[in-house]
Amino acid sequence: VTDPCSELNCSKDELCGEKNGVYGCFCNEGHRRPDPDFFDLSEVCESSSGSMSLSRCLLFEAGFATNNLHLNDPSCKGTVRNGRVEFYFDNSNHICGTNLVDNGTHFIYENFIFGAQDLTKGPISRKRILKLSFSCIYPKTQTLSTNMEINPPESIVHKKLPAGQGRYQVRMVLYQDAEFSQPFNGSVNVEINQQMFVEVRVEGVDSRQFATVIDKFWATPANDPHHSIRWDLISRECPNPNDDTVELLQNGVSTSSRFSFRMFVFTANSTKVYLHCTVHLCLLSGNHCSTHCDSEHHRRERRSVKFHDSASISIGPLMLS
């Protein structure tokens, strides 16, 4: 006769036993885990993927066998490792019924863990349903700013959202060529009227769902984005109508936004220029992310309600030769 306990591989914190005619792993009283009401749920969100793990013994003691649990998509079942049942989804080939929603203040990846316990005796049933909803939440509005001398000229904002539920990066890179293949290296020494090519890109989000939109891009003569002297290159997602050297190449169509302008110097006896920008993420599903500027470079449409997390980053100094 096969020993059912040998097939369960209970961990050192578990004890094999039988409940309602089913063998499983009970929690060892000496290693009781916290949060029994939530089965000691541990969740990790990274970009557009998520993983959840629960205590196998707490689930079994509540009457739910691990082989009966699954995500919104019934084919997405859990994997047992070290006494925990792990579930995983991503937005590539393992969606598992995950839903992306916008509640007005956050964008949220939602799914749930589902299971059932059917205790039928003769003409009656005491069927119990387990449905554990979980989500990965990203707030719409959070502004950061970093000021650093770039070598090479690249500024990175690492964003860690509340409770560590999600992370992505915003990068600003200066290029020497229109093909965006030659970034500046070392100290950035440029000439007046030299054409500059700028790319702002977001990494760590699903490029099929989100686009990057530059809201504002401006320059200051000092390492302070709030300096009283400034020159706008982009405002309200469109080129400054007072600077005809600004050419918006792409904005709101992918996770990278690009534009070019010709270098200048501030008249206030400064040979340094610092660049700053504010960007936001936009949900592509609304088809309202791309920027439409008229002949006067003004935004024709109101900002889409699909507006999501925002950030500000800075780069510099650019040395005028």
Side-chain angles (χ1 to χ4, degrees):
V1 178
T2 303
D3 179 7
C5 290
S6 64
E7 300 176 355
L8 291 172
N9 295 318
C10 295
S11 71
K12 62 181 178 61
D13 296 334
E14 299 173 322
L15 295 173
C16 181
E18 181 266 339
K19 182 175 183 178
N20 297 323
V22 178
Y23 277 87
C25 298
F26 288 88
C27 294
N28 187 329
E29 289 298 326
H31 298 276
R32 176 67 67 176
R33 293 169 175 80
D35 299 328
D37 291 340
F38 298 98
F39 306 101
D40 192 17
L41 172 67
S42 176
E43 180 179 6
V44 176
C45 297
E46 186 74 31
S47 182
S48 54
S49 66
S51 62
M52 290 65 54
S53 72
L54 304 91
S55 167
R56 172 174 62 174
C57 64
L58 289 176
L59 286 165
F60 181 70
E61 290 179 355
F64 298 100
T66 58
N67 57 357
N68 291 331
L69 301 176
H70 57 79
L71 295 179
N72 189 16
D73 182 344
S75 66
C76 295
K77 295 184 176 295
T79 302
V80 178
R81 291 188 179 90
N82 299 320
R84 298 187 65 81
V85 188
E86 300 179 359
F87 296 88
Y88 173 81
F89 73 86
D90 62 46
N91 238 28
S92 296
N93 300 314
H94 204 67
I95 297 176
C96 294
T98 304
N99 188 30
L100 177 61
V101 298
D102 175 7
N103 72 353
T105 60
H106 297 76
F107 61 91
I108 308 168
Y109 289 95
E110 294 182 334
N111 208 319
F112 59 82
I113 299 169
F114 181 86
Q117 176 197 37
D118 193 0
L119 300 177
T120 302
K121 293 184 178 180
I124 68 169
S125 174
R126 290 190 172 93
K127 185 174 184 178
R128 298 177 64 215
I129 301 295
L130 175 71
K131 187 174 182 180
L132 299 174
S133 300
F134 61 87
S135 59
C136 293
I137 302 174
Y138 296 77
K140 282 182 172 180
T141 55
Q142 181 171 328
T143 301
L144 302 177
S145 180
T146 181
N147 298 298
M148 55 172 50
E149 186 166 347
I150 308 303
N151 185 14
E154 180 175 76
S155 183
I156 304 175
V157 176
H158 293 270
K159 301 194 69 181
K160 188 171 184 180
L161 304 181
Q165 290 184 313
R167 294 192 302 273
Y168 61 83
Q169 293 182 346
V170 185
R171 295 176 182 264
M172 184 199 301
V173 186
L174 297 180
Y175 289 90
Q176 306 176 53
D177 62 316
E179 290 74 33
F180 291 83
S181 62
Q182 300 178 39
F184 281 95
N185 293 312
S187 299
V188 185
N189 294 300
V190 295
E191 298 179 355
I192 297 294
N193 214 37
Q194 178 176 335
Q195 192 167 16
M196 308 291 290
F197 300 89
V198 184
E199 178 182 61
V200 180
R201 64 177 181 264
V202 173
E203 299 172 354
V205 298
D206 190 336
S207 60
R208 296 167 299 181
Q209 293 185 310
F210 294 100
T212 301
V213 181
I214 298 177
D215 296 309
K216 296 181 293 183
F217 201 106
W218 69 101
T220 60
N223 193 9
D224 177 10
H226 306 292
H227 196 276
S228 59
I229 300 175
R230 62 180 281 166
W231 181 252
D232 291 324
L233 295 169
I234 294 176
S235 61
R236 298 181 62 191
E237 305 176 12
C238 288
N240 178 3
N242 295 319
D243 191 336
D244 58 8
T245 74
V246 180
E247 182 180 1
L248 194 60
L249 303 175
Q250 64 181 45
N251 201 21
V253 296
S254 71
T255 51
S256 295
S257 290
R258 293 174 170 179
F259 75 98
S260 67
F261 70 98
R262 292 195 176 276
M263 201 61 216
F264 55 88
V265 64
F266 284 98
T267 57
N269 296 322
S270 174
T271 59
K272 295 182 179 180
V273 173
Y274 294 82
L275 302 178
H276 319 275
C277 75
T278 300
V279 301
H280 76 265
L281 290 179
C282 179
L283 268 181
L284 287 169
S285 60
N287 295 319
H288 297 296
C289 296
S290 58
T291 298
H292 300 285
C293 304
D294 60 21
S295 58
E296 296 181 355
H297 303 305
H298 289 160
R299 184 88 158 99
R300 287 204 307 260
E301 300 177 359
R302 296 181 61 190
R303 172 176 286 165
S304 165
V305 295
K306 299 297 184 182
F307 172 78
H308 291 305
D309 195 15
S310 65
S312 296
I313 61 176
S314 304
I315 190 172
L318 311 184
M319 306 296 293
L320 277 300
S321 59

